[in-house]
Amino acid sequence: MNHSLTNFSQRRRWAADQAISFLMQQGVEHPHVLSLGAGLVDAASLPVTEAIEAAREVLAEEVRGQSALQYGTTQGELRLRQHLADYQTRIEQTSAPAAHRVAVADEIVCTTGSQQLLALLADALFDPGDICLVAAPTYFVFLGVLEGVGARTIALPADEHGLRMEALEGELQRLETAGELSRVKLIYVVSEFENPTGISLSLERRGQLVEIAKTWSTRRGEKIYVLEDAAYRELHYDAPPPPSVWSFDTAGDTVIHAGTFSKSFSPGLRVGFGLMPRELRDAVNDLKGNQDFGSANFNQHLLADLLGSGRFAIHAEQVRAAYRIKRDAMLAAADEFFADLPGVSWVHPHGGLYVWMTLPPHIVTGFDSPLFRRAVDVEQVMYVPGELCFGGPREQRQCNHMRLSFGVQSPEGLREGMRRLSQAVRRFL
Amino acid sequence: MNHSLTNFSQRRRWAADQAISFLMQQGVEHPHVLSLGAGLVDAASLPVTEAIEAAREVLAEEVRGQSALQYGTTQGELRLRQHLADYQTRIEQTSAPAAHRVAVADEIVCTTGSQQLLALLADALFDPGDICLVAAPTYFVFLGVLEGVGARTIALPADEHGLRMEALEGELQRLETAGELSRVKLIYVVSEFENPTGISLSLERRGQLVEIAKTWSTRRGEKIYVLEDAAYRELHYDAPPPPSVWSFDTAGDTVIHAGTFSKSFSPGLRVGFGLMPRELRDAVNDLKGNQDFGSANFNQHLLADLLGSGRFAIHAEQVRAAYRIKRDAMLAAADEFFADLPGVSWVHPHGGLYVWMTLPPHIVTGFDSPLFRRAVDVEQVMYVPGELCFGGPREQRQCNHMRLSFGVQSPEGLREGMRRLSQAVRRFL
């Protein structure tokens, strides 16, 4: 702990030393390193033309332009929320099998990326020591957010169908026996193409998850919410995802569905959103009122225009096509350079931005490991160490995985990155 | 306290029942009420043409456009921070008397309006029970932010030159005697055209304030920071403001200077910024990393373009001209309708958006008061009750003031609003 932190709050101390800062620092200090780490999106896919057209339309007419440049509301621009509600309803209806929960604008809050929604929900729910159940592994930045509010995370096993339901029930049972059920506030799942594994929660488990949360809410005497992080929902390359976890919560009192335009359209506009039960919407609104009283209104007008005109859907299709090629390029390179390495395996993702690679148990991949130093300093390639993605006690984290992103590099860059990485790995086999 | 809040965090409970929500609710429920309450900006002054020109330039060239639509950094777009540093340096040099502190990009963080900076600083500094010293009255939304992190506020007397320095020193002395000096983290001042009084901190007191903070930091053994909220700095109608409080902190270790483009350009773009000592920049960056890892990058590119091209400065001049007319209209209407009312007085502001009106002590102005109900329900005019703007214990708040905004209404609307308000006030004299 840095001495100079003594004059700061507990919150500030909890926010220190986040892995993401170290990763970004590595990027700055090693500009020539080929990054398979960064979760940035493909630059060539960014919608420059669509953005200028939307800006032109929003600003073409004086009164509408002025309204986009004025303060908005904390909850978010009504037209955008209406379009989002329609879009959400339509996606559920056209999923296989079709679901029929109807979304309404009033249950939606617009945020600065879905990250802000995750942070606001953590702020709303967790006092220090409260518990969040997560999959092992899961989205490491959210683990940082939970740490930042002093929450405890319990990491539960997952398999190729996502979080394991009997493990979830077993843990809830264990916590009840230990007298800690009252501290359980939230179950967090990345339902589509999880960051980092690329695995989606199976259709069957989606319904089960909602059931379990409701049953155990009753036993707890207060709600245990489910936060469904659907950041990668649009990025499907083989088949559209099944109905959301949210669609199974027909009473609308258990599931928060977090979405974003950062991956499917543009992270620079920083527009995310969430659908949630009323008391959470009020909580998020109140906290956001203090935090910024509303994300950029102009950007919400742009997205409303893009959704309303259908240009967003067209662009999302193009994005899928571009990433499909890159996903295939990374998997082909994995076959080419890693297939003959004993004990090395990886997940074939059907969407998202990541390939999760597992090395033999004795090869550790962390920032301090010989492999990471070799990869960055000698082979000039970077990845995200898998251990960052495990909640719970540090000593229980698995240390032999790598999260590899195909978001940023070209297909050629991906092949070269995978070649370099295989060179580094070979040295330690 | 709403029963359903029991399942939420302490933070969420602290954020409940903010005055701003009630005010906005009043606006929604009484759409025909003429509002002298809202702190929105003049719609006609909003820069529709400038915004589309900036969007065109940022998006004209493919690579630059893509970079604006990609993720930015948590700290903010470097080009914008460089322009902000130059702008800050230039304003200090051209103030009267000239100051010569030079700003650098590295000490700047860009945020979602300056509100987010205020919230992040509160998060970084205050554990529950820590103390913030403020003027009485001061910006009520920041009082809500402080309440939201469990901080204690101590409200100190101000006069026509702003916060009184001997009162500040006296309070610090009192706190030291009481063994509470270690809990004092921050002194908050709205240096230019304070919201709600329109009063600026005098030149003499700016230097004194920095001196006092440094002296008492030494006695405390840890830094007591000064947060200079300069949201209205550009909105001067009679003469440019003196050098900032920040300019007196030549060592750069004490003062945070918070600025925003919301009042001078467009609140819909939601770009604010702060200059601050290094350890606070790190704290704000780390917390913001969890909160949203960066405000909208696209908007920061727009502002960089607007500052760099000089279009911002031209627009700010137009904004001043527009508000000067409205300020004069409200003051003329005050003379016309309130001059003959015994015990009624008001401040003539040289900038900002507000006229602070004081009624005889027996006329209370709060949300529950007969005057507020009469004004809203019968006369169809709304104001912000002055009591909201007082920190410290509720029973010590002054209850006979009104904050009147000339931001939104036209000169004719302002006259009509003031006429209606005088009708309501007359009834209680």
Side-chain angles (χ1 to χ4, degrees):
Chain A
M1 177 71 58
N2 186 328
H3 172 70
S4 72
L5 296 189
T6 54
N7 195 25
F8 289 93
S9 68
Q10 178 62 63
R11 285 280 185 120
R12 188 275 171 271
R13 289 193 292 275
W14 277 328
D17 307 320
Q18 294 287 352
I20 187 84
S21 311
F22 181 82
L23 273 171
M24 290 168 70
Q25 192 58 28
Q26 292 290 309
V28 171
E29 286 172 11
H30 303 87
H32 301 300
V33 162
L34 210 157
S35 181
L36 304 177
L40 303 185
V41 303
D42 179 56
S45 80
L46 286 168
V48 175
T49 312
E50 290 83 345
I52 189 65
E53 276 172 17
R56 249 190 231 118
E57 272 186 40
V58 166
L59 296 170
E61 200 262 300
E62 181 108 1
V63 172
R64 184 174 172 203
Q66 287 168 353
S67 123
L69 294 174
Q70 182 60 279
Y71 282 105
T73 62
T74 302
Q75 189 173 356
E77 160 64 10
L78 181 59
R79 258 185 70 237
L80 174 57
R81 289 187 287 116
Q82 281 163 343
H83 282 305
L84 284 169
D86 293 347
Y87 192 74
Q88 175 80 4
T89 303
R90 206 157 59 239
I91 287 191
E92 302 298 340
Q93 282 168 350
T94 54
S95 63
H100 298 288
R101 182 169 170 197
V102 173
V104 296
D106 198 42
E107 67 189 306
I108 297 176
V109 181
C110 299
T111 49
T112 305
S114 56
Q115 177 68 18
Q116 192 192 28
L117 180 66
L118 303 188
L120 289 167
L121 288 166
D123 219 14
L125 289 172
F126 296 100
D127 280 321
D130 285 347
I131 295 169
C132 184
L133 301 174
V134 302
T138 193
Y139 177 42
F140 73 96
V141 177
F142 187 57
L143 294 175
V145 169
L146 291 168
E147 203 175 319
V149 298
R152 280 182 287 168
T153 57
I154 295 178
L156 301 173
D159 58 25
E160 71 273 25
H161 304 295
L163 183 66
R164 282 168 50 187
M165 291 301 119
E166 86 286 0
L168 174 62
E169 289 211 274
E171 183 62 27
L172 287 164
Q173 185 65 68
R174 194 191 68 72
L175 286 163
E176 187 180 50
T177 308
E180 296 229 273
L181 189 60
S182 66
R183 306 304 299 267
V184 179
K185 299 291 190 73
L186 188 69
I187 304 164
Y188 172 74
V189 286
V190 184
S191 52
E192 321 297 348
F193 321 117
E194 169 130 39
N195 176 355
T197 61
I199 288 171
S200 297
L201 191 66
S202 69
L203 177 63
E204 190 185 8
R205 290 191 191 171
R206 290 173 190 230
Q208 289 168 353
L209 174 58
V210 175
E211 276 310 300
I212 291 170
K214 286 183 194 269
T215 302
W216 284 87
S217 292
T218 306
R219 283 172 80 155
R220 188 186 159 222
E222 295 266 22
K223 191 57 72 184
I224 298 173
Y225 294 103
V226 174
L227 170 50
E228 174 183 40
D229 183 342
Y232 300 94
R233 193 181 200 187
E234 297 284 343
L235 303 190
H236 54 83
Y237 313 133
D238 301 320
S244 66
V245 177
W246 172 88
S247 75
F248 288 91
D249 178 23
T250 46
D253 61 2
T254 299
V255 177
I256 307 121
H257 179 95
T260 179
F261 292 99
S262 291
K263 309 298 180 185
S264 55
F265 195 75
S266 157
L269 295 179
R270 225 68 202 90
V271 178
F273 60 92
L275 297 88
M276 67 203 83
R278 172 198 288 257
E279 72 278 10
L280 270 173
R281 178 208 59 192
D282 290 345
V284 165
N285 257 340
D286 283 355
L287 287 164
K288 190 167 163 60
N290 276 346
Q291 198 69 38
D292 59 22
F293 43 80
S295 298
N297 187 34
F298 178 61
N299 306 31
Q300 294 175 30
H301 279 261
L302 294 182
L303 261 309
D305 184 82
L306 286 154
L307 273 176
S309 67
R311 278 193 295 243
F312 167 72
I314 296 169
H315 181 74
E317 192 56 50
Q318 294 165 351
V319 166
R320 281 190 282 275
Y323 282 128
R324 189 180 294 119
I325 292 168
K326 303 224 274 186
R327 188 265 321 250
D328 292 344
M330 183 173 262
L331 288 175
D335 278 334
E336 182 177 356
F337 299 114
F338 289 88
D340 64 330
L341 302 191
V344 176
S345 63
W346 56 93
V347 177
H348 289 237
H350 297 289
L353 293 177
Y354 310 104
V355 169
W356 180 246
M357 185 172 275
T358 301
L359 303 180
H362 70 278
I363 306 188
V364 299
T365 60
F367 288 139
D368 299 328
S369 69
L371 174 63
F372 189 82
R373 291 317 339 164
R374 176 97 199 162
V376 172
D377 297 340
V378 181
E379 301 292 346
Q380 310 247 311
V381 63
M382 185 142 56
Y383 60 84
V384 170
E387 66 187 53
L388 302 179
C389 308
F390 290 86
R394 194 170 293 266
E395 61 278 11
Q396 286 170 24
R397 295 179 192 172
Q398 298 173 23
C399 296
N400 58 322
H401 305 277
M402 301 185 287
R403 189 195 78 172
L404 309 176
S405 168
F406 50 85
V408 176
Q409 306 298 337
S410 66
E412 298 69 34
L414 289 170
R415 183 173 181 278
E416 173 60 16
M418 293 296 273
R419 191 192 64 73
R420 293 184 189 180
L421 188 60
S422 73
Q423 290 295 108
V425 170
R426 257 168 223 281
R427 224 185 142 80
F428 298 96
L429 282 174
Chain B
M1 177 70 58
N2 186 327
H3 172 71
S4 72
L5 295 190
T6 54
N7 195 26
F8 289 92
S9 67
Q10 179 61 63
R11 285 280 184 121
R12 188 275 170 272
R13 290 193 291 276
W14 276 329
D17 307 319
Q18 293 287 353
I20 188 83
S21 311
F22 181 83
L23 272 170
M24 289 168 69
Q25 193 56 29
Q26 293 289 308
V28 171
E29 285 172 13
H30 302 88
H32 300 299
V33 162
L34 209 156
S35 181
L36 304 178
L40 303 186
V41 304
D42 180 56
S45 80
L46 286 167
V48 175
T49 312
E50 290 83 346
I52 190 66
E53 277 173 15
R56 246 189 233 120
E57 272 186 40
V58 166
L59 296 169
E61 199 262 302
E62 181 108 1
V63 173
R64 185 177 171 200
Q66 287 168 354
S67 125
L69 294 173
Q70 182 60 278
Y71 283 105
T73 62
T74 303
Q75 188 173 358
E77 160 66 8
L78 180 59
R79 258 185 72 236
L80 174 57
R81 289 187 288 116
Q82 281 164 343
H83 282 305
L84 283 168
D86 292 347
Y87 192 75
Q88 175 80 3
T89 304
R90 207 159 58 240
I91 288 191
E92 302 298 341
Q93 281 167 351
T94 54
S95 64
H100 299 286
R101 182 169 170 196
V102 173
V104 295
D106 198 42
E107 67 189 305
I108 297 176
V109 180
C110 298
T111 49
T112 305
S114 57
Q115 177 68 18
Q116 192 192 28
L117 180 66
L118 303 189
L120 288 168
L121 288 166
D123 219 13
L125 289 172
F126 296 100
D127 280 321
D130 285 347
I131 295 169
C132 184
L133 301 174
V134 302
T138 193
Y139 177 41
F140 73 96
V141 177
F142 188 57
L143 294 176
V145 169
L146 291 168
E147 203 176 318
V149 297
R152 281 182 285 168
T153 56
I154 294 177
L156 301 173
D159 59 23
E160 71 272 26
H161 303 296
L163 184 66
R164 283 167 50 188
M165 291 301 119
E166 85 288 359
L168 173 61
E169 290 211 272
E171 184 61 27
L172 287 164
Q173 185 65 68
R174 194 191 69 72
L175 287 164
E176 186 180 51
T177 308
E180 296 229 273
L181 190 60
S182 66
R183 307 304 299 267
V184 179
K185 299 291 190 74
L186 188 69
I187 305 164
Y188 172 74
V189 285
V190 185
S191 52
E192 322 295 350
F193 321 118
E194 169 130 39
N195 175 356
T197 60
I199 289 171
S200 297
L201 192 66
S202 69
L203 177 64
E204 191 186 8
R205 290 190 190 171
R206 291 173 187 230
Q208 289 169 353
L209 174 58
V210 175
E211 277 310 300
I212 291 170
K214 286 182 193 268
T215 303
W216 284 86
S217 292
T218 306
R219 282 172 81 154
R220 187 184 161 225
E222 294 265 23
K223 190 56 72 183
I224 297 173
Y225 295 102
V226 174
L227 170 50
E228 173 183 40
D229 184 343
Y232 300 94
R233 192 182 201 188
E234 296 283 343
L235 303 190
H236 55 82
Y237 313 133
D238 300 321
S244 66
V245 176
W246 173 87
S247 75
F248 287 91
D249 177 25
T250 47
D253 61 2
T254 299
V255 177
I256 307 120
H257 179 95
T260 179
F261 292 99
S262 291
K263 309 299 180 185
S264 55
F265 194 76
S266 158
L269 295 180
R270 225 70 202 91
V271 178
F273 61 92
L275 298 88
M276 66 202 85
R278 171 199 288 258
E279 71 278 10
L280 270 172
R281 179 209 60 191
D282 290 345
V284 165
N285 258 340
D286 283 355
L287 288 164
K288 190 167 164 59
N290 276 346
Q291 198 70 38
D292 60 21
F293 43 78
S295 298
N297 187 34
F298 178 61
N299 307 31
Q300 294 175 31
H301 278 261
L302 294 182
L303 261 309
D305 184 81
L306 286 154
L307 273 176
S309 67
R311 278 194 294 244
F312 167 73
I314 295 169
H315 181 74
E317 192 56 50
Q318 295 165 352
V319 166
R320 281 190 282 275
Y323 282 128
R324 189 180 293 117
I325 292 168
K326 303 225 273 186
R327 187 265 321 252
D328 292 346
M330 183 172 263
L331 288 175
D335 278 333
E336 181 177 356
F337 299 114
F338 289 88
D340 64 328
L341 301 192
V344 176
S345 63
W346 56 93
V347 177
H348 288 237
H350 297 289
L353 293 178
Y354 309 105
V355 169
W356 180 247
M357 184 171 274
T358 301
L359 303 180
H362 70 278
I363 306 189
V364 298
T365 60
F367 288 139
D368 299 329
S369 69
L371 175 63
F372 189 82
R373 293 312 344 162
R374 177 95 200 163
V376 172
D377 297 340
V378 180
E379 300 293 346
Q380 309 246 310
V381 62
M382 184 140 57
Y383 60 84
V384 170
E387 67 188 53
L388 302 180
C389 308
F390 289 86
R394 195 169 292 267
E395 61 278 9
Q396 286 171 26
R397 295 178 190 170
Q398 297 173 25
C399 297
N400 58 323
H401 305 278
M402 300 184 289
R403 189 195 78 171
L404 309 176
S405 167
F406 50 85
V408 175
Q409 307 298 337
S410 67
E412 299 69 35
L414 288 169
R415 184 174 180 277
E416 174 60 15
M418 293 296 274
R419 190 193 64 73
R420 293 183 189 180
L421 188 60
S422 74
Q423 288 296 107
V425 170
R426 259 169 221 280
R427 224 185 143 80
F428 298 96
L429 281 173

